[in-house]
Amino acid sequence: MRFVTTIIIGAGQSGLAMSRHLTARSIDHVVLERGEVANSWRTERWDSLRLLTPNWQSRLPGYAYDGPDSDGFMAMPEVVRYLGRYADVSGAPVVTGTRVTKVRLAPGGYQVSTSQRPWQCRTLVIASGACNIAAIPSQTAGLRHTVNSLTPMQYRNPGVLADGGVMIVGASASGMQLAREIHASGRHVVLSIGEHVRMPRTYRGRDIQWWMDAIGAMDVRYDAVEDIERARHLPSLQLVGTPERVTIDLNSLRKSGVELVGRLVGLGDGKAQFSGSLANNCALADLKMNRLLASIDDWVDENGFADRFPASYRYEPTDVGPKTRLSIDLQDSGIRTVIWATGYRPDYSWLDVPVLDRKGRIRHDGGIVAAPGMYVMGLPFMRRRKSSFIDGAGDDAADLAAHLSHNLDRAAA
Amino acid sequence: MTNTNSISTAAKVDNGVNVSALLQAREALQQAPEAAQFKWRAACEWVSGTHSRSAIGSFFGLGAEQSRNKTFSLEADHPQVFAAEDHAPTPVEILLSGLAGCLTAGVAAIAQRRGIQLHSVKASLEADMDIQGILGIDDDVRNGFGAIRVHFDIRADASDDDIKALVAQSQKRSAVFDIITNPTNVFVTVN
């Protein structure tokens, strides 16, 4: 058994940012990593994926992008190198190849069992990510064995798919990108769409992420929004990172030939059934997007910057057409694969401390978990809108490191 | 601070909806999800021909039987072109009025919550039906509606987009909208 003041679980952006702050506060700690630094980015992403945020926005404590293309979007190997270099320059005490298998309460802290040696610590930071498991609806059970079923975590490129058509369930960033890529490979693609967040890649000459950063939207705190539960469960923005800065939306997918249908509500007897609520989900997304664009326009006007940017404009409303199908016979339609782009959730199966709510979510107040000396990082809108972004790890780590340090001091006093 | 703002705005707005009571109920039910389990009921008796009369009284919710101090009566029939006597609207028209009633209630509640004063809310509904389905002429034609169109005409102290957002949010939170747009298991027994 080895003792250390703080254990950080996970060497991604959150764990590394926290390590940097703990080092600055001279708090002895280790970062336990199941694989290598940036493991999820390394092993659980499809080939063509790029970050949805521009390079300049991958700011971490004491570290920033200094390459030639600050407005570009990193491909996964670049993200892995970027975080690997951060771990090096920070001198982060990462213990790789060490999977945490159990965390239990112990006198004055936590006992951490791993695939290697066991550890004990006084404080614990869970930075193992928000997207460990693909959240798949119960409807998968109704799928026939002749149809392949996979998640975006298993998908790599269209070449791995069986011949034939593909139904993609879910129209957030993952589903939209996969629909675009798989359709471009010459397959029939049906995209099932529930609630979604429409977002243009650029607006008035700037990247949308630049705007959200500029107007302060990314820094909005969790205790300043009216319905934080809702904000935390919003689907990811319909964005893709490409060198051409293309906007991906339902209009462009439909125009290219992707078949749009409503939310999947039934699967059985070889048939898929879809909700009739598609038009309203699109209306909600258009209105929400326009509210964001209006708040950007307001910010420009209030700051007297109107002459610095092109004039304001609006995008075409989403048009899914009058005849979206409510049910599809998968076999008749040649659908051989279903991809469940229905979201992700964290894995806490190793966490043997009663801090989960009835839906299996960790109970926390801005990352301060409902157990002494326990913290979590990197969850959607955890302390700020940017909490689950690389760019958000730094501010959260600063806040939580201060709290953690204060906790230790109090215990020592 | 966001809360204070919306409450002070809401105080000036009166759509006849007790939003704070609804919000308190929402809060209470988050703590006790079992109390959120409701059962709605209707009883129906055949009168004659296609004419029937439904009685709607008690329901179950908040962990107990909820009785009303009266029983509502709702009749249904079919028009004369169906060789019936047209004593009352057809069930599908009652369904449309159910959708309209649900969406309209939602608009009022959400407007109150968002501090929007309503002056008038009118909805008109139209649904397509190919009656070859119900008459058994063509098995490929479904019995139910091919499509439903709802048009809202709303006068309120708000921008066009804010009014559209009321209607969109109302659909998102509407029970009848959900019942119509999504499948539901129906179990029918006979004594």
Side-chain angles (χ1 to χ4, degrees):
Chain A
M1 179 86 68
R2 291 198 56 177
F3 289 84
V4 65
T5 299
T6 301
I7 286 177
I8 300 170
I9 303 176
Q13 62 272 11
S14 292
L16 295 174
M18 178 56 97
S19 170
R20 181 93 177 199
H21 275 283
L22 295 185
T23 299
R25 290 174 175 275
S26 303
I27 295 171
D28 72 298
H29 66 283
V30 292
V31 185
L32 300 183
E33 168 53 57
R34 65 187 157 145
E36 296 174 68
V37 170
N39 200 61
S40 305
W41 299 110
R42 202 184 284 269
T43 60
E44 294 172 356
R45 305 290 186 264
W46 59 90
D47 298 345
S48 68
L49 180 66
R50 289 171 179 270
L51 288 187
L52 304 182
T53 47
N55 291 333
W56 60 264
Q57 208 174 18
S58 288
R59 296 167 291 204
L60 285 161
Y63 188 66
Y65 179 84
D66 59 0
D69 184 17
S70 65
D71 288 326
F73 304 95
M74 286 183 213
M76 290 307 104
E78 295 172 278
V79 177
V80 169
R81 279 199 298 277
Y82 185 76
L83 292 178
R85 212 170 69 224
Y86 184 49
D88 289 344
V89 300
S90 302
V94 180
V95 183
T96 57
T98 302
R99 176 183 291 273
V100 170
T101 54
K102 188 73 83 183
V103 169
R104 290 187 195 87
L105 279 166
Y110 298 97
Q111 188 188 321
V112 178
S113 309
T114 78
S115 55
Q116 308 294 327
R117 70 174 97 189
W119 291 79
Q120 195 157 335
C121 61
R122 292 171 62 195
T123 55
L124 182 81
V125 179
I126 300 170
S128 47
C131 303
N132 310 120
I133 300 173
I136 295 178
S138 54
Q139 289 134 340
T140 35
L143 205 58
R144 285 194 176 155
H145 296 303
T146 48
V147 178
N148 301 289
S149 176
L150 73 161
T151 73
M153 295 174 90
Q154 297 159 323
Y155 172 82
R156 287 296 171 268
N157 56 63
V160 305
L161 302 174
D163 288 341
V166 179
M167 178 167 80
I168 296 168
V169 183
S172 57
S174 300
M176 296 290 281
Q177 292 185 30
L178 265 47
R180 176 175 181 262
E181 169 168 296
I182 294 168
H183 180 266
S185 77
R187 291 161 191 269
H188 175 53
V189 172
V190 174
L191 179 64
S192 164
I193 303 150
E195 205 178 318
H196 58 274
V197 184
R198 184 181 178 191
M199 197 60 57
R201 180 73 266 178
T202 55
Y203 180 61
R204 297 184 73 171
R206 298 286 184 143
D207 194 273
I208 197 70
Q209 300 284 7
W210 185 90
W211 284 115
M212 298 225 281
D213 186 69
I215 69 173
M218 301 309 288
D219 295 317
V220 171
R221 280 177 57 101
Y222 73 111
D223 46 11
V225 295
E226 219 166 314
D227 190 346
I228 187 63
E229 274 304 299
R230 175 165 160 64
R232 282 179 175 157
H233 294 97
L234 221 52
S236 62
L237 312 182
Q238 288 180 334
L239 287 175
V240 58
T242 64
E244 302 77 25
R245 321 189 72 74
V246 298
T247 288
I248 188 169
D249 63 17
L250 295 174
N251 285 341
S252 65
L253 288 181
R254 177 170 173 239
K255 208 170 290 172
S256 73
V258 171
E259 179 176 1
L260 308 182
V261 294
R263 189 169 64 88
L264 181 72
V265 288
L267 197 53
D269 289 335
K271 278 206 178 70
Q273 275 186 296
F274 309 104
S275 175
S277 60
L278 177 58
N280 189 49
N281 278 326
C282 294
L284 282 162
D286 286 354
L287 287 161
K288 191 176 179 64
M289 172 180 70
N290 287 336
R291 284 196 295 275
L292 174 69
L293 301 185
S295 65
I296 290 171
D297 294 341
D298 290 346
W299 181 86
V300 169
D301 294 341
E302 282 160 17
N303 288 283
F305 292 159
D307 54 338
R308 296 193 196 175
F309 304 100
S312 85
Y313 52 89
R314 289 294 175 266
Y315 294 87
E316 282 290 302
T318 303
D319 180 9
V320 295
K323 291 219 180 292
T324 53
R325 289 200 279 177
L326 292 169
S327 80
I328 289 182
D329 185 308
L330 296 181
Q331 183 148 5
D332 289 357
S333 300
I335 302 291
R336 295 289 315 285
T337 304
V338 176
I339 300 179
W340 303 95
T342 36
Y344 308 91
R345 58 187 169 85
D347 177 14
Y348 298 126
S349 57
W350 44 267
L351 184 56
D352 195 12
V353 182
V355 292
L356 303 184
D357 68 13
R358 66 189 170 91
K359 295 189 123 179
R361 299 178 300 217
I362 200 158
R363 286 182 287 124
H364 69 87
D365 179 14
I368 301 158
V369 179
M374 189 185 287
Y375 300 87
V376 65
M377 289 192 66
L379 304 181
F381 224 134
M382 189 188 77
R383 286 189 74 80
R384 299 170 172 84
R385 182 169 279 118
K386 65 183 178 185
S387 283
S388 55
F389 291 65
I390 292 176
D391 203 50
D395 283 354
D396 284 7
D399 291 353
L400 296 179
H403 190 280
L404 184 152
S405 169
H406 181 69
N407 236 346
L408 292 173
D409 292 346
R410 219 170 34 188
Chain B
M1 45 194 187
T2 318
N3 277 330
T4 323
N5 272 341
S6 63
I7 285 168
S8 62
T9 320
K12 287 176 251 157
V13 167
D14 185 8
N15 296 323
V17 180
N18 188 345
V19 163
S20 60
L22 289 176
L23 290 175
Q24 278 167 19
R26 183 175 187 253
E27 188 119 325
L29 291 176
Q30 272 173 341
Q31 308 307 320
E34 61 286 350
Q37 306 308 311
F38 273 61
K39 291 185 197 305
W40 299 104
R41 305 182 183 118
C44 180
E45 187 163 2
W46 173 58
V47 178
S48 167
T50 58
H51 185 199
S52 67
R53 187 174 294 118
S54 291
I56 297 169
S58 72
F59 60 94
F60 179 89
L62 305 177
E65 257 330 290
Q66 304 285 338
S67 61
R68 290 171 155 128
N69 52 18
K70 60 180 166 184
T71 300
F72 298 102
S73 178
L74 203 58
E75 295 184 29
D77 199 353
H78 284 77
Q80 287 165 0
V81 294
F82 288 84
E85 294 185 359
D86 213 7
H87 291 294
T90 69
V92 294
E93 290 163 327
I94 294 170
L95 186 81
L96 287 180
S97 104
L99 176 61
C102 197
L103 293 176
T104 301
V107 165
I110 296 159
Q112 185 73 43
R113 173 89 173 110
R114 295 184 178 178
I116 295 174
Q117 180 63 54
L118 297 173
H119 299 298
S120 71
V121 180
K122 292 175 187 166
S124 49
L125 293 86
E126 185 178 65
D128 304 331
M129 185 186 286
D130 180 345
I131 69 164
Q132 293 184 91
I134 56 174
L135 293 177
I137 296 169
D138 185 344
D139 271 351
D140 293 335
V141 175
R142 71 183 283 187
N143 299 335
F145 296 143
I148 300 174
R149 288 173 298 280
V150 183
H151 177 74
F152 269 100
D153 184 2
I154 297 179
R155 304 283 147 81
D157 298 335
S159 70
D160 286 355
D161 270 5
D162 285 346
I163 292 173
K164 283 180 185 162
L166 286 181
V167 175
Q169 184 66 17
S170 174
Q171 289 169 75
K172 186 180 157 181
R173 286 281 164 250
S174 161
V176 179
F177 183 87
D178 174 81
I179 290 163
I180 291 175
T181 53
N182 299 318
T184 306
N185 278 321
V186 181
F187 305 98
V188 179
T189 53
V190 182
N191 67 348

